[in-house]
Amino acid sequence: MQTVANFNFAGKKALVRVDFNVPLNDRFEITDDTRIKATIPTIQKILKDGGSVVLMSHLGRPKDGPVEKYSLKHLVTPLSLVFGVKVKFTSDCISDEAVELANGLQAGEILLIENLRFYKEEEKGDVDFAQKLARLGNVWVNDAFGTAHRAHASTAVIGQFFTDKVSGYVMQAELDNAQKILEYAERPFTAIMGGSKISDKILIIERLLDKVDNLIIGGGMTYTFSLAEGGKIGKSISEPDKVELAKELIEKAKAKGVNLIMPLDNVCADDFNNNANRQTVERGCIPDGWEGLDIGPKSVALFQETIAKSKTILWNGPMGVFEFSNFAIGTNAIADAVVKATEENGAFSLIGGGDSASAVNNAGYGDRVSYVSTGGGALLEYMEGKTLPGVAALEA
Ligand code: 3PG
Ligand code: MG
C-alpha cells in the first residue's frame, strides 16, 4: 500500500476522502472536532510537498438530496482555522464548477466539495458518479477510516480511476493500532465491552474470546446476560431473543479460560432521565418498574482492579447512560482507570470510536490514552476480521 509518508505530492492535486461526519449543534457549530484534527498531518504533508488538496466527505445520512442541516459549508470556517489556509468551497460535488475550481487550485490551496451523500449515487457505489468525482484530482488519498466499512463511490469504487492510491496517516494509524491489539497484545489483555446491544457486539466478542485474558462486560447489554443467569432486570433494556446467545458466550468464555467479568451491582432509576430516583442493587436484583442505567460502586472497584493489572486494554462502549451526568459515574471511573493504567503502568490502551471515544474526549482524556479511534462501525468490523472496502480499494 502506498502511504502519504512515502509519496511525493509536489505538483499533484490530491483528492482526499476524509470522514468529516462530525456532530453539529443547532447553530451548526461542531461539538467534537476530533475527526477533523486527526487529518491535520495528512493535509499538511500534501501541502508541504507542494501539492493541493480537494477534500471530500459525507455528513449525516441525508436521504433525499441537499439539506441545510447536512451541508459541509458549515465546516468551511472551522477547517480554515484548523488547517491555517483559507478553504474554498463548491456547493455541488460533481459540477463543472467543482472541476474548474479543482483545476485552478495552486500548490498549498484547499478546496472542500459539498456533501457526497447529497447524491444517492454515493451510497450506491455508482461507478459513473465515482468517475465524475475522480476528475477532481490526480492522486486519490483515502484517510476516511471511519467510513472504510462502506463500499461507497468515494470510499472504494473511485479507486479504479487512479494509478496513485495512497492511504492517509489516519487510515495507517488506525490499522496499525488495531493490528497491534489483535496480533501483538502484551498480557494481561483486557477488553471492556459496553453499549446497549449484544447483537451489535457479538462478532467482536467471539473473536476477542480467542485473544483476551479478561473480558469485562458493562452497559445495557449486561441486562441480557442477567436474564441468561435467571436474574431480575425490571424494565431495563434487554434483548430477550439474545438470551441463548448470552448463555453460549458465558460457556465459550469458560471453555477458553477467559475471565468473564460482569458488574456486581447496578445503579437503577425509576424513570429514564437524569433526575429520576436512584438506587444501587446487586446484579440481577433490579425491582419491577426500575431500570439499570449505570454500574455500581462494587463493579467500579472490581473493574478498576482488573484494568490496573492489564498491559493491553481495549475499550468499546459506555458502562451506562453517560449522557445523563448522574449515570455517567461508572463510565467516567473506567476512563480514569484506563488513563491510570496507561500513564502509570505503561499499558497500551485503545479506545474504540463512537460513544466510548466521546466519553474519553469529553472527559479531556483524549491525549492520555494510547489511541482513540475515529471509527465506530469501521473499527468493530475491522476487529471482527472483515475486509474493509475502503482498505481493499487502496490495495487493489
Ligand atoms: C460514522 O460516523 O460511523 C461514519 O462516518 C460512517 O457513517 P454511516 O454510519 O452513516 O455510514
Ligand atoms: Mg455509523
Side-chain angles (χ1 to χ4, degrees):
M1 218 196 270
Q2 290 198 89
T3 65
V4 170
N6 59 32
F7 192 90
N8 186 353
F9 290 90
K12 299 279 186 188
K13 198 172 306 301
L15 178 58
V16 187
R17 181 42 159 114
V18 285
D19 186 343
F20 286 171
N21 186 26
V22 291
L24 301 178
N25 64 19
D26 303 344
R27 291 183 308 255
F28 306 119
E29 294 156 346
I30 300 164
T31 54
D32 180 354
D33 65 356
T34 311
R35 282 179 162 178
I36 292 174
K37 290 217 168 110
T39 65
I40 294 175
T42 296
I43 309 305
Q44 298 295 8
K45 165 69 165 69
I46 298 168
L47 300 183
K48 222 171 133 223
D49 275 359
S52 57
V53 169
V54 178
L55 289 171
M56 58 176 176
S57 180
H58 72 288
L59 175 63
R61 292 176 174 174
K63 278 296 153 248
D64 203 13
V67 260
E68 170 79 6
K69 184 174 159 195
Y70 294 129
S71 174
L72 282 176
K73 71 178 181 208
H74 307 305
L75 269 58
V76 172
T77 305
L79 287 178
S80 300
L81 291 170
V82 167
F83 297 126
V85 175
K86 194 172 176 335
V87 171
K88 299 179 179 183
F89 181 71
T90 179
S91 59
D92 185 314
C93 60
I94 52 167
S95 64
D96 290 340
E97 185 202 76
V99 177
E100 274 162 38
L101 281 172
N103 285 342
L105 283 183
Q106 303 297 308
E109 291 188 329
I110 302 177
L111 168 69
L112 172 69
I113 65 174
E114 183 57 288
N115 194 344
L116 299 160
R117 288 191 185 171
F118 284 175
Y119 283 90
K120 57 183 181 324
E121 287 84 348
E122 163 66 357
E123 289 180 76
K124 286 193 175 143
D126 185 271
V127 178
D128 293 334
F129 179 71
Q131 190 166 18
K132 284 182 187 149
L133 288 173
R135 297 184 299 166
L136 301 171
N138 46 29
V139 186
W140 177 53
V141 178
N142 192 357
D143 213 14
F145 175 77
T147 329
H149 57 319
R150 309 287 183 218
H152 294 173
S154 68
T155 61
V157 178
I158 198 170
Q160 63 191 284
F161 299 110
F162 290 88
T163 319
D164 290 318
K165 294 175 277 206
V166 179
S167 71
Y169 285 119
V170 175
M171 183 69 85
Q172 212 59 53
E174 294 277 359
L175 298 176
D176 287 351
N177 284 306
Q179 227 151 22
K180 186 166 171 176
I181 281 268
L182 291 173
E183 307 301 337
Y184 312 106
E186 221 186 302
R187 298 187 172 279
F189 176 6
T190 298
I192 310 157
M193 288 286 131
S196 51
K197 292 193 196 148
I198 295 190
S199 44
D200 287 344
K201 304 282 162 81
I202 170 68
L203 292 173
I204 188 167
I205 289 179
E206 287 194 326
R207 186 138 195 253
L208 288 171
L209 285 176
D210 286 325
K211 303 191 182 275
V212 300
D213 302 291
N214 306 302
L215 176 60
I216 293 176
I217 302 275
M221 73 169 127
T222 29
Y223 307 111
T224 303
F225 280 97
S226 275
L227 288 179
E229 298 172 318
K232 286 186 60 188
I233 64 163
K235 58 174 182 177
S236 306
I237 188 170
S238 69
E239 294 169 283
D241 60 323
K242 294 291 180 298
V243 168
E244 283 311 309
L245 187 69
K247 283 185 190 163
E248 279 168 33
L249 287 175
I250 294 172
E251 287 312 313
K252 272 189 195 162
K254 247 185 236 155
K256 291 179 191 279
V258 172
N259 188 16
L260 181 65
I261 306 173
M262 299 225 251
L264 297 172
D265 53 357
N266 285 104
V267 179
C268 53
D270 61 354
D271 199 7
F272 189 78
N273 72 66
N274 192 41
N275 300 315
N277 294 308
R278 303 192 287 275
Q279 61 169 317
T280 302
V281 298
E282 303 288 298
R283 164 167 105 241
C285 302
I286 299 178
D288 289 344
W290 292 68
E291 59 191 308
L293 296 186
D294 198 2
I295 54 174
K298 285 192 216 162
S299 314
V300 165
L302 174 68
F303 293 2
Q304 282 178 332
E305 197 186 310
T306 306
I307 293 166
K309 284 190 253 168
S310 304
K311 275 292 183 191
T312 304
I313 302 159
L314 169 67
W315 181 18
N316 187 290
M319 298 291 103
V321 184
F322 77 104
E323 299 87 340
F324 297 156
S325 57
N326 286 329
F327 302 98
I329 296 167
T331 299
N332 289 336
I334 296 312
D336 282 332
V338 174
V339 165
K340 218 167 159 206
T342 310
E343 293 181 343
E344 294 176 15
N345 310 339
F348 177 76
S349 53
L350 183 120
I351 314 302
D355 287 341
S356 27
S358 343
V360 166
N361 287 329
N362 291 347
Y365 284 161
D367 296 331
R368 298 176 64 189
V369 293
S370 306
Y371 192 70
V372 182
S373 176
T374 58
L379 182 73
L380 286 180
E381 290 196 22
Y382 186 73
M383 290 201 157
E384 287 164 5
K386 292 196 183 125
T387 299
L388 303 183
V391 177
L394 287 166
E395 285 162 343

